[in-house]
Amino acid sequence: MKAVHNQRLPPLFVFIICLCIYLSQQEIEPQLCKQCSGTSLNGSAVGTFCFSSNGRITGRCCLGNETSYRERIIGLDLSNCSLTDVGNLQEASTALMIDLSSNSIVNISDTAFKGFRQLSQLILPADVACPGGNSSWDKVTRENGRRLCQGQRNTCIQTGKMSVNCPEYSQCGPYGPGYFECSCADNYHGYKCLREGEFPSLQVFGPLGASTLALSLLLWLTQRRKAKSL
């Protein structure tokens, strides 16, 4: 089991980051959806999942029925894409289902799926092991030349009890197959969550946030002007 330590981000900092992402990535389709030609057909595993989830297929992705500024990838089908290794899949970290079968992949690093908290079904070539090992999944099977990793387990919980030791004043949470993270509890922050009281977000991030926001607004306006002139 591998730990990832983090602390809860201050609300002001989260707001600034979200606003910057909104302005810089508005109306941009995830590039991962275009990595392989063709679309997820209705008869494929991801296509069937997408239909049952009322999602929308674009390229090789199933996008959730969202009302937010950027649609969320809930399914990814990169099967039969002539892949020999797995690159950066972080754009699909919100996916519930991923299909990487029918590719010449020999091995996949566990870190490839670090942060994939919601991943509940992963389809791999038969000779590739499930990330995090079999103990990270409720069910691991092989059929029709594929390996199915189903039901990601909460690494924080073993035999029904919390078994992972996070620092005092913190709590454990899943962070992908075989990974967990320790997040500071309310009213605690800093190294190993030892500092009590609210994080001084305004003093620390105020000046930085203001300059970042101004730069993002300028870039966004420039992009909009260029788009209108085309």
Side-chain angles (χ1 to χ4, degrees):
M1 296 182 293
K2 309 171 187 66
V4 176
H5 293 279
N6 84 330
Q7 55 186 334
R8 294 181 178 176
L9 295 176
L12 177 61
F13 185 55
V14 173
F15 170 76
I16 293 173
I17 291 296
C18 290
L19 184 58
C20 292
I21 293 175
Y22 169 72
L23 293 174
S24 62
Q25 298 186 355
Q26 189 179 25
E27 300 177 357
I28 298 178
E29 182 179 283
Q31 293 299 310
L32 193 60
C33 302
K34 306 173 184 178
Q35 182 171 327
C36 186
S37 61
T39 59
S40 302
L41 303 178
N42 290 334
S44 70
V46 173
T48 302
F49 161 77
C50 195
F51 177 78
S52 63
S53 303
N54 294 320
R56 179 174 68 85
I57 292 177
T58 176
R60 284 300 186 106
C61 292
C62 174
L63 304 180
N65 186 16
E66 306 287 341
T67 56
S68 59
Y69 67 90
R70 185 175 174 84
E71 292 176 295
R72 179 173 63 102
I73 296 177
I74 61 174
L76 176 65
D77 184 356
L78 294 183
S79 63
N80 195 24
C81 284
S82 301
L83 300 178
T84 56
D85 55 44
V86 176
N88 188 350
L89 300 178
Q90 286 303 310
E91 274 192 311
S93 62
T94 55
L96 284 73
M97 181 178 185
I98 296 179
D99 187 352
L100 296 172
S101 63
S102 300
N103 287 298
S104 302
I105 301 172
V106 178
N107 191 25
I108 297 179
S109 171
D110 288 351
T111 59
F113 297 98
K114 184 165 66 174
F116 286 62
R117 300 179 181 88
Q118 303 175 68
L119 185 61
S120 61
Q121 185 166 354
L122 178 62
I123 307 175
L124 300 169
D127 296 332
V128 178
C130 295
N134 290 357
S135 61
S136 297
W137 302 86
D138 291 332
K139 185 178 181 181
V140 176
T141 57
R142 290 179 61 174
E143 58 180 53
N144 301 324
R146 305 181 304 172
R147 185 183 300 273
L148 276 63
C149 317
Q150 298 173 291
Q152 182 185 160
R153 290 178 178 174
N154 186 343
T155 308
C156 298
I157 301 175
Q158 297 292 338
T159 64
K161 297 181 180 180
M162 296 294 290
S163 62
V164 177
N165 293 322
C166 284
E168 189 177 8
Y169 308 122
S170 69
Q171 54 193 13
C172 180
Y175 199 65
Y179 285 90
F180 66 92
E181 65 175 349
C182 298
S183 301
C184 293
D186 290 339
N187 209 38
Y188 287 91
H189 65 277
Y191 177 68
K192 291 189 176 181
C193 306
L194 294 177
R195 294 187 178 182
E196 187 174 5
E198 293 188 4
F199 187 85
S201 56
L202 186 60
Q203 296 90 331
V204 175
F205 297 112
L208 176 63
S211 59
T212 302
L213 181 58
L215 179 60
S216 297
L217 284 170
L218 179 61
L219 291 174
W220 180 71
L221 289 172
T222 302
Q223 291 175 353
R224 299 291 289 184
R225 288 172 182 171
K226 287 182 178 178
K228 290 181 179 179
S229 63
L230 295 178

